[in-house]
Amino acid sequence: MKTSFFLLLFVALFSSATELNIDINKGFLGAKWLSSKDKVIEVLGEPNGSFRINKHREFLFYGKNIGLLISRNQLREIVIGQIFSHHYYDMPVIMNNKFNASELTINNEIFIEQPFKQVEKALNISLGNPGYNVITGTDDVTIKLSFSGTNFNGIESSFKLNEMRVTYQL
């Protein structure tokens, strides 16, 4: 009985950790690139809110710091980090804890608010010299990273990832 309990606990912990793992070349947590808005909502659930940019572009918000750009009814961009949080401070919104950005992983590595080298390891892409902004990518996506620094000297260990944009290119 004790063994069964621990096995179930292990499976529950393992499944919840892997379900928040992002494959940047495929999309966001099962919502594939170019999916329709309806399909994104079917896969991820109802967003906390949305913002219509224009007739053909809309951001869907999940949690306080995850946004998905739907352009011409296709998932085209993911924004993860602090960019949206200031919009929510004075708004009564229901938070979807399933999509807490600090728990998301890439290649099973935590990346938000992590040091430069940890982000590089998670992405498995050389990011070059540490800096406040880095643009990189794969054949399918462009990745824009914004780091904050805790001192003016630009010491590598002081750079922490605070925002990531992944834009589908095809």
Side-chain angles (χ1 to χ4, degrees), residues 39 90 166:
K39 185 64 176 175
D90 297 324
V166 182

Side-chain angles (χ1 to χ4, degrees), residues 5 17 26 29 40-41 48 53 59 69 80 109 119 125 162:
F5 174 76
K26 290 185 180 176
L29 303 179
V40 169
I41 291 172
N48 292 41
I53 298 166
F59 261 111
L69 176 68
I80 303 169
E109 299 280 344
V119 175
I125 298 172
N162 64 11

Side-chain angles (χ1 to χ4, degrees), residues 21 29 76 93 99 101 121 141 144 147 160 164 169:
N21 192 56
L29 303 179
R76 291 294 195 158
V93 294
F99 299 106
K121 179 181 175 186
V141 297
K144 296 178 183 175
F147 292 86
K160 306 276 186 191
M164 178 171 85
Q169 296 302 306

Side-chain angles (χ1 to χ4, degrees), residues 38-162:
D38 289 342
K39 185 64 176 175
V40 169
I41 291 172
E42 179 184 318
V43 172
L44 300 176
E46 286 292 326
N48 292 41
S50 64
F51 176 75
R52 181 158 297 283
I53 298 166
N54 60 36
K55 181 179 174 181
H56 299 290
R57 297 176 61 152
E58 180 179 12
F59 261 111
L60 304 179
F61 299 110
Y62 287 89
K64 282 195 171 196
N65 45 16
I66 299 171
L68 280 64
L69 176 68
I70 307 294
S71 181
R72 298 199 178 273
N73 201 34
Q74 295 180 321
L75 175 60
R76 291 294 195 158
E77 185 172 19
I78 303 162
V79 181
I80 303 169
Q82 296 177 353
I83 190 166
F84 300 117
S85 59
H86 66 279
H87 296 293
Y88 284 120
Y89 285 138
D90 297 324
M91 295 174 58
V93 294
I94 299 168
M95 289 296 105
N96 185 341
N97 290 332
K98 180 178 179 184
F99 299 106
N100 183 343
S102 65
E103 297 173 1
L104 297 173
T105 61
I106 295 175
N107 295 320
N108 295 312
E109 299 280 344
I110 292 175
F111 60 96
I112 289 293
E113 298 178 5
Q114 296 301 307
F116 195 88
K117 289 297 181 189
Q118 176 71 19
V119 175
E120 186 173 56
K121 179 181 175 186
L123 289 171
N124 197 26
I125 298 172
S126 175
L127 299 179
N129 294 326
Y132 290 101
N133 295 295
V134 175
I135 298 176
T136 187
T138 70
D139 289 343
D140 297 325
V141 297
T142 297
I143 304 166
K144 296 178 183 175
L145 305 165
S146 295
F147 292 86
S148 61
T150 56
N151 64 44
F152 295 107
N153 297 330
I155 296 172
E156 179 178 321
S157 63
S158 72
F159 290 106
K160 306 276 186 191
L161 183 67
N162 64 11

Side-chain angles (χ1 to χ4, degrees), residues 1-13:
M1 179 74 172
K2 217 183 227 186
T3 305
S4 298
F5 174 76
F6 287 116
L7 181 59
L8 286 173
L9 181 62
F10 175 76
V11 169
L13 289 173

